[in-house]
Amino acid sequence: QVPSIVKALHKQLKEKSVKSRQGCFSLLTELANVLPGCLADHIPALVPGIVFSLADKSSSSNMRIDTLSFLHVLLCNHQPEVFHPHIKSLLPPVVTCIGDPFYKITSEALLVTQQLVKVIRPLDKSCTFDAKPYVKDLFPGTLKRLKAADIDQEVKERAISCMGQIIYSLGDHLSSDLQPTLKIFLERLKNEITRLTTVKALTLIASSPLKIDLRPVLGEGFPILASFLRKNQRALKLSTLTALDILVKNYSDSLKPAMIESVLKELPALITENDMHVSQVAIMFLTTLAKVYPSCISKISGSVLAEIFQLVHSPLLQGGALTAIIDFFQALVLTKMATMGYSELMKQLTAPIYSSGSAGESVTLHKQAYYSVAKCVAALSSACPKEAPAIVNQFIQDVKNPKSSSAVKVLAFLSLAEIGRTMNLSAQRELKTVILEAFTSPNEEVKSAASYALGNISVGNLKEYLPFMLKEIGSQPKRQYLLLHSLKEVISSSPADGLKPYVEDIWALLFKHCECTEEGTRSVVAECLGKLTLVNPSELLPRLKNQLSSGSPHARSTVVTAIKFTIADQPQPIDALLKRCIG
């Protein structure tokens, strides 16, 4: 229907009636939003109408604003190439609007210009269109708005963003205009009202593939950015950390140690469990520093590490922040600094747990913290593979030692689990016995950690451990519940291809336990069945469905529960098959 709609609107776009033209643009804006790319073939038919409404002396302000806002949507939702033949006619009326006395028109025109710059020279793909002739149209109008002091706040911000985009995309054509313009950015950075927008614009410029020369403004700019880290404005802190990160990555040879130190002083205060996201971004920046300037990290290692260990031991740590800490530890241990070597970091990571069992000291960590510490231990061990066998051995001894506290045993099993998931631990002959013995521990936490360990170690070596685990499930009714939990870990974490050879054995074993009188066991069986079905849905789902006619109500309810675990929040190949069974 699009061609016939455009054909009908084409004539009306040049009508005298403002109402009709506004209606046309409103309809076209919806179209471009709903079906991105649908107007690509009709650009030649639309451009004359756009130019007419922008340049027509009798057009009202609202008419111009509507036209500009449609043009912005059009530019955002279509490929750059379709506009290249029309830049010559589109650009002059837009640039004229930047100079319009009415601030709303100026603001909208700056937004369109920013998008036009990306269209004229898309840096993410090869493009034959020559952007150079248009710089003299784009630059002066935007610069005039960037310099003006008495304009509306939105215009100020959009002028900064638009100029940021011009320098990012066309900085190599600005020659002698570049440095004076960057000096204006420095001024805007010092102004409270415009500083956040300027930080974002500088981040963009610093990431330009054109390698814009920022050296003249870094000396003064870096300390200003550092001072933003202690301001009480969360968005400013986050944007500043992102800006500093890209500057350190792309301009490391232009930064002086004093500049880096001015930033380092501010970082420990940002790492706190009160704001996990700011902590995460700060730690990601520290990781960049550890890679680019390993020597400077030693200056703050004490204070920053103290905060990071506090986070690792916090019950609130998870997701992105935990991943950031793991990356940081790996980068840190590779800097080869004595104060932050493998054994030193290990000692500080595990200290609260080891000290909790000794005389009179009670440091009880939250359950979540044990998982975080174990993940960090595994990350350090994979970064230093030579150290790994010794630490694995130490954990096995900890578990065997009757004097070890249950906290130490839980940590040992969780760490073995995390290390074993990616490293083959089959050389450790005692491991199976040690885990099975722990299944009889009086402490529930130790039992469940041992079960988690068996599952994850099996993921690292299915051939060695999975047949062993299946044999145990069949022959050890007392340990079944824990062993089924281990099996659940294997099914959840192993790649489908690795599991395929074992599917039949696992399937048969699970159906044996479908009718177990113990409800807890049945729910683990159901979860295993559901997740196993995802390995080969086209074959296994019908077999699961057939079991619904089983005579045992326990078996039927287990199958129904299993279906729950085949449904995920991300699209899966099984979705189409489920549609036929459910509803």
Side-chain angles (χ1 to χ4, degrees):
Q1 289 185 322
V2 174
S4 45
I5 294 175
V6 174
K7 197 174 171 193
L9 297 180
H10 177 218
K11 291 191 186 69
Q12 300 188 23
L13 281 175
K14 287 204 164 177
E15 294 256 328
K16 275 278 170 269
S17 153
V18 170
K19 274 272 183 287
S20 320
R21 280 186 286 159
Q22 278 179 307
C24 293
F25 283 129
S26 161
L27 174 61
L28 287 166
T29 305
E30 285 302 317
L31 255 182
N33 270 326
V34 175
L35 290 172
C38 71
L39 296 173
D41 300 340
H42 309 290
I43 305 287
L46 297 173
V47 168
I50 295 172
V51 173
F52 172 71
S53 278
L54 287 179
D56 179 25
K57 289 284 173 277
S58 62
S59 275
S60 66
S61 302
N62 283 350
M63 182 71 251
R64 284 206 182 114
I65 291 168
D66 288 354
T67 310
L68 286 166
S69 92
F70 163 63
L71 181 52
H72 183 246
V73 170
L74 190 67
L75 291 167
C76 289
N77 287 324
H78 290 75
Q79 290 301 318
E81 303 76 70
V82 298
F83 299 104
H84 289 161
H86 311 286
I87 297 291
K88 208 174 177 140
S89 49
L90 276 175
L91 197 59
V94 173
V95 171
T96 310
C97 288
I98 295 180
D100 197 277
F102 184 36
Y103 74 92
K104 281 193 168 161
I105 292 181
T106 304
S107 169
E108 210 55 53
L110 283 164
L111 206 56
V112 171
T113 307
Q114 189 175 337
Q115 202 55 38
L116 267 172
V117 173
K118 295 184 197 173
V119 166
I120 290 173
R121 192 179 192 191
L123 290 178
D124 50 355
K125 47 177 162 186
S126 59
C127 167
T128 49
F129 185 74
D130 181 18
K132 199 168 182 186
Y134 300 101
V135 177
K136 60 180 191 309
D137 295 330
L138 286 161
F139 181 77
T142 310
L143 181 67
K144 194 173 164 193
R145 282 302 184 194
L146 181 68
K147 283 179 169 169
D150 55 346
I151 43 178
D152 172 79
Q153 167 76 8
E154 190 177 86
V155 174
K156 273 186 188 153
E157 290 179 358
R158 286 190 175 169
I160 294 168
S161 304
C162 183
M163 187 55 91
Q165 188 66 52
I166 291 175
I167 297 177
Y168 170 89
S169 303
L170 304 164
D172 51 349
H173 294 322
L174 296 178
S175 57
S176 60
D177 286 324
L178 177 64
Q179 291 312 327
T181 312
L182 288 173
K183 286 279 191 283
I184 303 172
F185 275 102
L186 258 187
E187 294 311 310
R188 298 291 169 268
L189 203 55
K190 294 172 189 169
N191 180 335
E192 194 174 335
I193 297 175
T194 50
R195 64 190 180 193
L196 179 59
T197 311
T198 311
V199 170
K200 289 179 177 168
L202 283 171
T203 308
L204 181 69
I205 294 169
S207 65
S208 169
L210 303 174
K211 302 271 178 277
I212 307 298
D213 182 12
L214 288 174
R215 279 173 307 191
V217 293
L218 286 178
E220 203 179 333
F222 223 79
I224 298 175
L225 289 171
S227 71
F228 291 167
L229 294 177
R230 66 181 99 103
K231 297 278 186 266
N232 199 6
Q233 189 186 351
R234 188 167 183 267
L236 183 65
K237 280 183 198 167
L238 286 167
S239 296
T240 302
L241 284 166
T242 310
L244 290 167
D245 193 62
I246 200 95
L247 284 168
V248 168
K249 278 181 182 146
N250 292 351
Y251 293 86
S252 55
D253 46 356
S254 315
L255 301 174
K256 308 272 184 295
M259 296 185 195
I260 301 288
E261 278 164 39
S262 65
V263 172
L264 283 176
K265 287 204 300 281
E266 310 297 339
L267 291 173
L270 297 181
I271 299 169
T272 140
E273 64 177 9
N274 300 338
D275 192 329
M276 280 296 179
H277 187 55
V278 170
S279 302
Q280 177 183 337
V281 180
I283 293 167
M284 285 156 80
F285 174 50
L286 273 169
T287 308
T288 301
L289 284 174
K291 288 175 182 165
V292 181
Y293 297 112
S295 55
C296 73
I297 289 283
S298 58
K299 297 213 167 72
I300 53 148
S301 60
S303 47
V304 158
L305 277 175
E307 300 300 337
I308 290 180
F309 286 124
Q310 194 112 29
L311 272 194
V312 175
H313 299 141
S314 156
L316 304 177
L317 180 68
Q318 55 169 345
L322 177 56
T323 310
I325 290 179
I326 287 173
D327 291 344
F328 173 64
F329 280 147
Q330 289 187 317
L332 196 57
V333 81
L334 295 175
T335 60
K336 302 276 190 284
M337 272 188 277
T339 46
M340 287 167 287
Y342 178 85
S343 49
E344 187 50 41
L345 289 172
M346 275 297 186
K347 207 160 80 194
Q348 294 198 40
L349 260 178
T350 56
I353 296 163
Y354 279 104
S355 62
S356 66
S358 60
E361 272 187 73
S362 102
V363 183
T364 43
L365 286 185
H366 187 276
K367 191 174 164 192
Q368 178 61 37
Y370 287 87
Y371 284 92
S372 305
V373 171
K375 283 190 158 66
C376 295
V377 165
L380 285 171
S381 303
S382 76
C384 307
K386 284 195 183 118
E387 312 278 357
I391 197 89
V392 167
N393 208 19
Q394 183 203 316
F395 287 134
I396 292 175
Q397 297 315 317
D398 282 342
V399 176
K400 283 166 61 180
N401 182 351
K403 291 188 180 142
S404 295
S405 66
S406 55
V408 166
K409 289 182 177 174
V410 168
L411 176 69
F413 277 129
L414 294 181
S415 302
L416 287 168
E418 298 298 339
I419 295 173
R421 191 181 308 162
T422 51
M423 280 166 70
N424 184 345
L425 296 184
S426 55
Q428 299 286 345
R429 288 282 153 234
E430 298 178 285
L431 207 45
K432 291 176 186 165
T433 341
V434 164
I435 290 175
L436 290 180
E437 276 169 9
F439 281 4
T440 57
S441 160
N443 183 300
E444 287 301 323
E445 298 286 330
V446 172
K447 280 200 257 196
S448 110
S451 151
Y452 182 75
L454 179 58
N456 281 289
I457 292 165
S458 306
V459 172
N461 187 354
L462 286 174
K463 206 160 78 202
E464 168 86 13
Y465 286 95
L466 191 56
F468 160 74
M469 189 193 298
L470 296 177
K471 189 170 122 261
E472 288 291 320
I473 295 176
S475 62
Q476 300 286 341
K478 281 194 173 151
R479 301 175 182 161
Q480 240 160 38
Y481 180 69
L482 290 166
L483 286 161
L484 285 166
H485 266 288
S486 306
L487 182 60
K488 182 187 81 182
E489 288 297 328
V490 175
I491 297 172
S492 308
S493 307
S494 300
D497 293 344
L499 274 178
K500 280 205 170 126
Y502 306 102
V503 167
E504 286 307 319
D505 295 344
I506 300 175
W507 189 264
L509 185 78
L510 289 172
F511 269 107
K512 257 195 206 139
H513 295 289
C514 256
E515 300 176 28
C516 178
T517 47
E518 177 60 48
E519 191 186 345
T521 305
R522 285 203 311 275
S523 67
V524 190
V525 168
E527 189 168 344
C528 290
L529 274 174
K531 289 183 170 165
L532 189 61
T533 304
L534 295 174
V535 174
N536 185 357
S538 55
E539 197 175 307
L540 297 179
L541 191 62
R543 284 166 65 179
L544 198 56
K545 198 175 154 187
N546 289 342
Q547 294 294 329
L548 284 172
S549 52
S550 160
S552 145
H554 279 336
R556 294 200 299 273
S557 79
T558 306
V559 170
V560 172
T561 313
I563 291 292
K564 183 172 87 178
F565 293 101
T566 62
I567 301 167
D569 49 1
Q570 298 297 325
Q572 294 266 12
I574 196 171
D575 295 349
L577 302 169
L578 279 174
K579 266 191 189 139
R580 296 178 212 152
C581 312
I582 299 176

